[in-house]
Amino acid sequence: MLSPEERQTYRRHLQLPEIGEAGQERLKAARVLVVGAGGLGCPVLQYLAAAGVGTLGIVDADVVERSNLHRQILFGPADLGQPKAEAAARAVQRLNPLVQVRVHRCRAVPGNVRELVAAYDVVVDGSDNFPTRYLLNDACVLLGKPLVSGAIYKFEGQVSVFNYEGGPTYRCLFPQPPGAAEAPNCDATGVLGVLPGLVGTAQATETLKVLLGIGEVLSGRLWLFDALTFQTRTLKFARRPGQAALHLGTAPAADYAEACGADVASVTAAELAALLNSAHPPFLLDVREAHEYANGHLPGAVLLPLGELAKGVASLPRQHPMVVYCHSGRRSAQAVERLQTEFGLVNLLNLTGGIVAWQENVAS
C-alpha cells in the first residue's frame, strides 16, 4: 500500500490510467540494478528514484574525477575523490528518501555477477566497456532478467532492451566482441556532455515500461540517436537461437577478459614512484591517444595507443620491466593482457588508477 506521503509525491503518476495506484505499487516493490554510476547511470538513477522504484542497486568501483563533472550530473566538486557508488547513493537519497539504495562498490566480474543480478528484477547497463556488456547479458540470460542497455560515442547514442519476454539478447545483435581498436571509450574519444543525459533518460523510460508492463518495449529494436542532426532511427533485429542460448557458463570466457582482469599484475602510483627512483627503473608505456599524451604524461613515457599495439610492439623491450598506463587503468589492463597473450612480452605491470592516480597521489 502507498502511504499518504507517497500518494502526494507520485500524484501525477496516479492520474495516469496506465499507471494508477496499482502501477505505482508495482514500482515501489520493484528492484533495479544500475551497473555504472557514470554518464548513463546518473540520469537513470535520478529518474528511477523520482519515479518511486522501491529499491535501486548501484554497481561502481570508480571514484569521482573532475573530468566526470561535465556529464555525470549527480556529482559536483565536493564529491571529487569520493567513491561514485556512495556519492550517487547519497544524491539519490536526497532526491527521494522514500526509496532504498544498495551500494555495491565493486565492478561486475564473473565472480560476483550472478549474485548481483539475482537480487534484482531488471538490470540497467550503464557500463562503458564491451566485456561488462557481454557479462551482464550472459548473466541476465542465465537468470531470466531483462537487460536495458545503453551506449554512447562522441555525439551518438543507442538504447535497446534485451532478454525481454523471450526476445533477442545482446548477443543476437552483437554476436562477437569488437577488437581493441574498434572499441574506443570516452577517455580516448570524448563525448558531448548532454548526450548521456538523453540516452540515460531513454533507458529509464524503457525500464519503467518493463516494470509497469505498458507501451511497446524496445525489444528486438535498436534506437539510434545523433545529437548533431537530432535525427533518430529504429532498427529491427531478430532473435538468433544459437546466440540467444549462450549464457554465463556456456559463452566464451574470453569475452569477459577485461572485466575479470585475468593474469594482469598491477602496481600502485606510490610503488611506481619508488621504482622510478631505483637503480633500474622500468620502461614506461602510455597507451592513451596522442591528444591525451600531449596534455600530460609521465616523464620519459613512450606513447603507443592501444589500437596501434600490433604496429608498434616490435619497438618495445621484451625482457626489461615495463609499466603500462592510461587514464584510469582500464585500457592499460587490456594492453598488458594483449602484450602478454598475443605478443609474448613478460615483466609487465599495469598502473592501478592510471595517470589520474599518479596525479592525485604522487604529482600533487
Side-chain angles (χ1 to χ4, degrees):
M1 298 291 291
L2 300 178
S3 68
E5 183 181 6
E6 288 170 329
R7 288 192 178 92
Q8 181 64 26
T9 300
Y10 309 125
R11 184 157 60 98
R12 294 294 187 265
H13 269 183
L14 302 183
Q15 292 173 309
L16 293 171
E18 295 85 351
I19 300 180
E21 187 150 340
Q24 195 61 47
E25 288 177 354
R26 289 181 67 175
L27 294 181
K28 180 179 179 179
R31 299 162 299 171
V32 176
L33 182 68
V34 180
V35 180
L40 295 174
C42 283
V44 169
L45 288 166
Q46 284 179 296
Y47 275 104
L48 293 186
V53 173
T55 302
L56 293 170
I58 306 174
V59 177
D60 202 300
D62 291 339
V63 299
V64 180
E65 302 170 9
R66 187 168 294 277
S67 63
N68 299 150
L69 301 184
H70 94 299
R71 67 194 184 281
Q72 299 179 17
I73 54 176
L74 281 180
F75 312 126
D79 298 309
L80 293 176
Q82 297 296 309
K84 280 187 183 179
E86 295 176 7
R90 291 193 296 269
V92 167
Q93 294 281 218
R94 287 194 299 269
L95 287 170
N96 190 354
L98 299 172
V99 304
Q100 297 182 12
V101 185
R102 299 176 181 172
V103 172
H104 305 281
R105 192 181 169 188
C106 62
R107 299 194 191 284
V109 296
N112 66 14
V113 69
R114 186 189 300 232
E115 181 180 1
L116 287 170
V117 170
Y120 295 87
D121 304 311
V122 177
V123 177
V124 181
D125 182 7
S127 65
D128 62 358
N129 63 87
F130 285 97
T132 301
R133 292 169 188 162
Y134 282 92
L135 179 66
L136 292 176
N137 172 80
D138 295 352
C140 286
V141 172
L142 177 67
L143 298 169
K145 310 285 185 176
L147 176 64
V148 181
S149 174
I152 54 176
Y153 176 70
K154 292 185 177 180
F155 301 96
E156 301 172 355
Q158 63 183 45
V159 175
S160 189
V161 179
F162 301 107
N163 201 41
Y164 177 69
E165 296 185 345
T169 72
Y170 186 79
R171 289 183 179 273
C172 295
L173 181 60
F174 303 111
Q176 299 293 330
E182 304 170 292
N185 58 36
C186 295
D187 285 349
T189 62
V191 63
L192 180 68
V194 72
L195 178 65
L198 290 160
V199 175
T201 300
Q203 286 182 273
T205 303
E206 290 303 303
T207 302
L208 293 175
K209 287 161 59 180
V210 168
L211 293 173
L212 292 166
I214 61 175
E216 185 177 352
V217 173
L218 277 173
S219 175
R221 296 183 296 146
L222 180 67
W223 178 78
L224 302 171
F225 173 73
D226 186 334
L228 292 181
T229 63
F230 224 81
Q231 292 184 334
T232 64
R233 292 185 298 156
T234 303
L235 307 179
K236 293 184 177 181
F237 61 96
R239 180 179 173 89
R240 300 183 183 185
Q243 294 297 329
L246 294 175
H247 57 72
L248 195 68
T250 64
D255 292 352
Y256 321 135
E258 185 183 343
C260 64
D263 300 324
V264 173
S266 62
V267 61
T268 66
E271 291 168 340
L272 175 58
L275 290 174
L276 292 175
N277 288 324
S278 68
H280 303 285
F283 182 90
L284 294 178
L285 180 65
D286 188 324
V287 294
R288 299 175 300 160
E289 298 300 310
H291 69 273
E292 296 176 280
Y293 183 87
N295 286 333
H297 55 271
L298 271 62
V302 171
L303 175 66
L304 180 57
L306 178 62
E308 300 176 15
L309 281 184
K311 297 179 182 178
V313 68
S315 64
L316 300 178
R318 301 193 66 85
Q319 298 293 333
H320 189 79
M322 183 190 309
V323 173
V324 186
Y325 74 91
C326 63
H327 179 74
S328 63
R330 294 187 183 183
R331 280 175 284 170
S332 52
Q334 186 177 356
V336 168
E337 185 170 7
R338 289 190 61 201
L339 290 170
Q340 291 176 154
T341 58
E342 296 180 26
F343 305 108
L345 273 65
V346 296
N347 294 331
L348 303 177
L349 293 173
N350 176 49
L351 177 58
T352 302
I355 197 168
V356 171
W358 176 269
Q359 292 169 339
E360 292 177 348
N361 298 290
V362 179
S364 59

